[in-house]
Amino acid sequence: MGIDLKVKQIKTIKIFFVDFFVIAIVIYMLLSILTTENGTSLKVLIGANESVLVIFTAIILAGLEVTFRFIRYRQNKKELDLLSKKLSDIAEGKKPGHVLLEPNDPLYGMSRTINTLENKQHNFTKNFTTQQRGYFSLIEYLTTGVMVLDQDRKIYMSNHAMSDMMGREMNLKGQIYINEIRAYDLSRLIEDSFSSHEDQHGEIRIELTNKYVDAHVVYVPVSKRHFLVMALLYDITELKEIERMQLDFVGNVSHELKTPITAITGFSETLLHGAMDDAKALKEFLAIIHKESLKLTDLVEDILSLAKIDANTELDLKEINLREYVTELLKTFKPQIEKKKIKIFVEISEDFFVVMDQNKLRHVIDNLIQNAIKYNNFQGKIWVEATSDAKNWTISIRDNGYGISNDKQERVFERFYRVDTSRSRDSGGTGLGLSVVKEYVAAMNGEIKLESQVGVGSKFIVRFPQTMK
Amino acid sequence: MRKTFNDELKKLHVRFAELGMMVNEAVFHATNAFVNHDKKLAESVIEKDYVINGCENDLEKMTLELIALYQPVTEDLRDVITILKASSDIERVGDHAVSICHATINMKGSLRIAEIEIEIAKMGEYTCQMFQNVLDAYMRKNEERALKIAKDDFFLDEELRKIRKRCVTIMQGNPKVVISGSYYNLVATYLERIGDYVTNVCEWIVFLEKGEIVELNPNTKQY
C-alpha cells in the first residue's frame, strides 16, 4: 500500500514537472513570437521580470492541469470501480442493479454492454434453473428407478423410485454405490459395465423388497477420459404376477372342471359298457357320479357368487349379536368338527353388537371357519375372537393348523389358488373360498389380513368400520 | 503408483462388498427356506454356495497380490488385512447358511414343534438384521455401530439357550419329535454361530478404525 502511494506520488510529481516545462516553453515561445502592432515584442514589454512571470504562470497552469487530471482520474476510477464491482457480482451470481452513465461519458458504451450482458446472463440462469428443476422433479417422480454413477463409482444422483425398489435410501450423493446397494446381481451388471464400457441388460430379482426389475445399465461417455454409468430399473413385479396369475388361472380352472368331469364320464361309460347290470357297482358308481356332480355344482356356485358380488353391492343392514351369530353358524360345521375332534373357542363377549349385512358376513365367516377346520390337524384348535375400537371392529379366526408360508400368503386370495395342490385335493373345496371372502369383505368396506407361519397356524383378521354406509 | 494402488484397492473393496451381498442373500434365503419349509429355495442356496467360495478365493488372491506388489503401510495395510480376515469370516457365515439349508431339506416330513418354529423364525430374522447391519457398519467404517452390533449377539446366545432347554423338555415328553427337535437345536446353533462371526467382523471394523486388535464379548459361551 505504502509503495503504491509512493509510486503514485512520484508519478504525480513527474507529470507536474513535464507539464511545467511544456507550459513554460510554450509561454516563452509565444512571448517571443507574438508582437504588438508597433513591432515591439511582448518580451520586451514585460521587461526584466520576464522569467519570473513565465515560471510563475507555468507553475500555476501546471498545478491546475494536474488537479484537473486528478479529478478526471478520480471520476473515471469511480465509474470503473462501479462497473468492475458489477462484473464481479455477476460472476458471483448476485443480481446487481444497472449502472447508468451519461450518454457523453467515455464509458457509456461499455456500461451499456455490461448491462445487456447482465440481462442476458440473468435470463440464462433463470432458464437454466427452471430446466434443472423440471429435469430433477421429472427424474424424482419417474416410476423408473434411476441412479447415475460417476467414473469413481460414486453416486451422482438417484431418485425416489430407486430407493423404493432397493428398499433402502439410495439418494446419497458422493457415496460409493457398492456401499449402499444390496443386490448382488445388480452390482455385477454395474461392474461389468464399468469394466467393459458397454451397456448391460438383465432381469433381476431384488431380495430385500421381493421385486422383479428389468435393469438397464447404460455407459455414457462424457469426454475422452470421463464417463458416467447410469442404472435404470423398471419394476416388472406386477407384470410378472399378472402373467403368472393368468397362466395359473387357466391351468387351475381347467383342472378343477376336468377332475369331476373325467370321473363322471369314466364311471358313466363303465356303467354303459355293462357294469350297470351289477347292482352293487351300479349303486357305488352312481354315488360317485353324484358326488362329482355336486362338486361341479359347488364350483359353479362359487363362480356365480363371485360374479354376483360384483353386480350386487347393496347392503342389507341389521343389528346382530355377534356371539350368538357365530355360535349359530358353528352348528352347521358340527359333523366336520366332530370328525377331526377339533376344539373351537369363541372368545366374543355377550354384548358385542354390530350392524352388518347378515348374508354377506355369513359368507365370510363360513368360509374362514371352513378353512380353519379343513387345514387343521387332528385334534386341532380354533379361536374366534372379536374386538372393537372407536372406528373399527375386528373379528379374527385363528387356528393351529398347517399354516401358510410367507410367499404364498399374498396369493391365497387369488381365484383358484391352492397352497399345496397335492394335499388340498383330498380335502375337497374349489379353490375359490378365500377369493369369495375377499370380495365380500371389500363389498362391506372392510379389510382382510393374514398372519401365518408354516407348522404354527394361521390367523385371518377381518376389520370392518363401525358405521356402514 | 499411488493411483494404480488406489484402483486396485477399489476393486478389492467392490469384490468384498459383493461377497457381503451374496452371503447376505444366502442367509436371508436360508432362514426363509427354513421358516417356510421351502425345499426348493434351500436347494438354490446350496447351489449358489460355490460362487461365494470362489469370491472368497478371489479376494485372498487379490489381497496377497496387493501386499506383494505394493507393500502397503499404515491405513492401506489395515484396509487390506481387514478384508483378508473379514472375508474368511463372512465366507464361514455362508457355509452356515448352507448347513441350515441342508437341515431344511433333511427334516422335511418330520413332526414339527410349533412354539420352537416361532422362536427360530424370530432368531433367523434377528440374525439377518444383524448381518445386514454389520455390512452397513463396515461400509461406513462406523466403529460405534460395530460395538453396538456386537452387543446384540447376546440376544442370540440367550435365544439359543432358551431353544435348547425348551427342545429338550419337549423331546423328553414326546419321542416323536426327537428328529425335528435335534434339527431345531442344530439350526439354532448355526444361527448363533453366525452371530459370533458377525461379532468377529465387528472386531475387524474396530481394527480398521483404531488399529487395535480387540476381543468383543469374551467368555460368553456357556450352555
Side-chain angles (χ1 to χ4, degrees), chain A residues 338-391:
Chain A
E338 279 174 359
K339 204 169 136 198
K340 270 187 138 176
K341 297 222 162 114
I342 283 171
K343 271 188 193 162
I344 299 193
F345 305 91
V346 181
E347 291 169 353
I348 304 169
S349 65
E350 304 266 343
D351 51 353
F352 201 102
F353 285 96
V354 287
V355 180
M356 279 308 273
D357 185 318
Q358 280 205 34
N359 250 326
K360 289 195 163 85
L361 186 64
R362 203 190 67 231
H363 275 284
V364 174
I365 298 178
D366 236 24
N367 267 309
L368 291 179
I369 290 178
Q370 185 143 26
N371 279 344
I373 296 171
K374 209 187 287 171
Y375 303 108
N376 209 332
N377 304 309
F378 187 68
Q379 290 186 329
K381 286 172 190 161
I382 295 169
W383 293 265
V384 183
E385 290 156 17
T387 54
S388 79
D389 58 39
K391 274 187 191 159

Side-chain angles (χ1 to χ4, degrees), chain A residues 16 118 281 358 421 429 456:
Chain A
F16 178 80
E118 198 225 314
Q358 280 205 34
T421 35
V456 177

Side-chain angles (χ1 to χ4, degrees), chain A residues 415-464:
Chain A
R415 294 175 187 189
F416 292 107
Y417 185 77
R418 305 275 203 143
V419 171
D420 187 347
T421 35
S422 57
R423 187 190 266 165
S424 306
R425 294 287 172 229
D426 49 81
S427 54
T430 56
L432 277 171
L434 281 175
S435 63
V436 170
V437 168
K438 198 179 175 187
E439 299 278 340
Y440 273 119
V441 171
M444 292 184 283
N445 303 318
E447 274 172 29
I448 184 159
K449 259 197 333 197
L450 165 61
E451 292 167 4
S452 181
Q453 189 180 342
V454 178
V456 177
S458 310
K459 185 180 186 183
F460 285 90
I461 304 151
V462 191
R463 201 171 71 202
F464 293 110

Side-chain angles (χ1 to χ4, degrees), chain A residues 108-337:
Chain A
Y108 178 69
M110 189 168 148
S111 75
R112 272 192 56 153
T113 323
I114 290 178
N115 287 342
T116 334
L117 189 74
E118 198 225 314
N119 277 343
K120 262 224 164 121
Q121 198 261 357
H122 181 67
N123 285 340
F124 185 70
T125 322
K126 212 166 80 182
N127 280 344
F128 175 70
T129 320
T130 319
Q131 267 185 15
Q132 202 186 30
R133 278 267 173 86
Y135 160 72
F136 273 125
S137 5
L138 178 72
I139 288 185
E140 194 53 40
Y141 289 104
L142 215 57
T143 47
T144 311
V146 180
M147 182 166 71
V148 183
L149 305 169
D150 64 13
Q151 58 191 3
D152 294 326
R153 294 184 169 80
K154 282 180 183 154
I155 298 172
Y156 172 70
M157 186 181 69
S158 161
N159 70 352
H160 191 72
M162 187 79 189
S163 306
D164 268 4
M165 279 180 209
M166 303 305 295
R168 48 191 287 140
E169 182 56 70
M170 294 299 296
N171 198 358
L172 301 154
K173 205 177 163 175
Q175 293 285 344
I176 295 175
Y177 87 93
I178 201 87
N179 294 355
E180 306 304 330
I181 219 165
R182 286 286 174 275
Y184 173 68
D185 294 332
L186 183 59
S187 85
R188 209 63 281 222
L189 277 187
I190 294 174
E191 275 309 306
D192 282 350
S193 181
F194 265 108
S195 57
S196 69
H197 290 197
E198 267 168 26
D199 296 356
Q200 306 286 333
H201 173 239
E203 248 177 48
I204 288 173
R205 210 180 110 98
I206 291 164
E207 309 298 339
L208 210 63
T209 47
N210 215 357
K211 276 187 169 146
Y212 282 98
V213 294
D214 187 55
H216 281 272
V217 178
V218 188
Y219 174 79
V220 190
V222 180
S223 65
K224 219 174 180 183
R225 309 197 54 185
H226 291 256
F227 62 90
L228 296 172
V229 168
M230 217 181 268
L232 304 170
L233 303 188
Y234 185 69
D235 191 347
I236 52 167
T237 320
E238 254 170 63
L239 282 176
K240 281 242 164 195
E241 220 147 74
I242 290 168
E243 194 182 67
R244 197 201 56 218
M245 253 158 88
Q246 278 174 339
L247 279 176
D248 285 1
F249 183 80
V250 174
N252 285 332
V253 83
S254 35
H255 188 93
E256 297 293 341
L257 286 171
K258 191 118 196 282
T259 337
I261 289 174
T262 318
I264 292 172
T265 325
F267 283 107
S268 52
E269 229 169 48
T270 326
L271 284 181
L272 284 176
H273 281 135
M276 61 181 178
D277 298 333
D278 181 355
K280 198 180 146 208
L282 179 69
K283 204 176 169 196
E284 192 183 323
F285 286 10
L286 277 179
I288 294 171
I289 292 173
H290 180 68
K291 204 179 100 198
E292 294 300 322
S293 68
L294 281 182
K295 255 192 198 169
L296 269 182
T297 318
D298 273 357
L299 187 65
V300 172
E301 248 167 32
D302 274 354
I303 296 175
L304 278 179
S305 66
L306 268 177
K308 242 193 285 174
I309 316 166
D310 289 340
N312 176 24
T313 50
E314 259 182 40
L315 298 174
D316 177 20
L317 296 175
K318 260 181 208 149
E319 194 179 46
I320 46 178
N321 181 327
L322 200 64
R323 191 185 167 89
E324 279 173 19
Y325 181 75
V326 171
T327 322
E328 195 60 35
L329 273 180
L330 283 174
K331 280 185 188 158
T332 52
F333 292 105
K334 220 177 165 191
Q336 286 161 274
I337 295 170

Side-chain angles (χ1 to χ4, degrees), chain A residues 152-153 168 172 177-184 187-188 191 207-208 405-407 453-456, chain B residues 10 13-15 17-18 21-22 24-25 28-29 35-37 114 117-118 121 132 135-136 139-140:
Chain A
D152 294 326
R153 294 184 169 80
R168 48 191 287 140
L172 301 154
Y177 87 93
I178 201 87
N179 294 355
E180 306 304 330
I181 219 165
R182 286 286 174 275
Y184 173 68
S187 85
R188 209 63 281 222
E191 275 309 306
E207 309 298 339
L208 210 63
S405 68
N406 269 331
D407 51 331
Q453 189 180 342
V454 178
V456 177
Chain B
K10 208 178 271 169
H13 186 74
V14 168
R15 200 83 188 111
E18 281 180 348
M21 271 179 239
M22 275 193 284
N24 189 16
E25 275 171 22
F28 185 68
H29 282 162
V35 172
N36 294 333
H37 304 189
E117 293 254 333
I118 296 175
Q132 249 176 49
L135 285 184
D136 265 5
M139 298 307 172
R140 301 217 163 76

